[in-house]
Amino acid sequence: KAGVTQTPRYLIKTRGQQVTLSCSPISGHRSVSWYQQTPGQGLQFLFEYFSETQRNKGNFPGRFSGRQFSNSRSEMNVSTLELGDSALYLCASSLATGPDTQYFGPGTRLTVL
Amino acid sequence: ELKVEQNPLFLSMQEGKNYTIYCNYSTTSDRLYWYRQDPGKSLESLFVLLSNGAVKQEGRLMASLDTKARLSTLHITAAVHDLSATYFCAVGQGSQGNLIFGKGTKLSVKP
């Protein structure tokens, strides 16, 4: 069974630009969550999607948004990029039928110059 | 607000020694996870603990959960170099996909 895939793996952008990251969950998984990992703040929850609906959102500004498609694939978008948005963005998927393990993808390393 | 604290944050061990990583959390939760992260890599799931007194073991690692004390431990037995990594505990909050992570414990096992 294929794992969680994320594209692109690396991205370099400049301040003010916007970026879209993509995540394909494990086949059959309906819940997709996004996390931001930085050396200073650690791993922080961004949002969770289930059946195309945002089920929960972390404490991030409105520049961070996401969506989920009918095939459970998810995208997150960051508009008006700031230097502080440089981070590893991790996507995780789970069955969401109970307290199931979340399986993480390899991440997208975003660098904002 | 749920807070998760791990200690120690850094741990340098000699091969063959035993040690324990602690994970405290501030409010009630129905699930606790342990993950491992190697440098430049993603998170690998180690354990899911769902009930008070739960204990799980895999190789040289054993995790336990005390929900009354809001404490989980990850015990390392006879450490080997391959265990060098950063270990995170995470506590579920609210819906399925919302995990609050500790800061991580960077473990270095030296010969």
Side-chain angles (χ1 to χ4, degrees), chain A residues 35 43 104, chain B residues 4 6 35 43 88-91 99-103:
Chain A
Y35 295 84
L43 278 152
F104 282 80
Chain B
V4 180
Q6 274 183 250
Y35 286 91
L43 297 169
F88 292 93
C89 68
V91 178
L99 298 185
I100 306 301
F101 282 82
K103 292 288 187 187

Side-chain angles (χ1 to χ4, degrees), chain A residues 33 35 48 98 100-102 105, chain B residues 33 35 37 42 48 95-97 99:
Chain A
S33 295
Y35 295 84
E48 178 197 7
D100 188 38
T101 297
Q102 286 195 54
Chain B
Y33 304 83
Y35 286 91
Q37 186 176 39
S42 187
V48 182
S95 60
Q96 174 65 24
L99 298 185

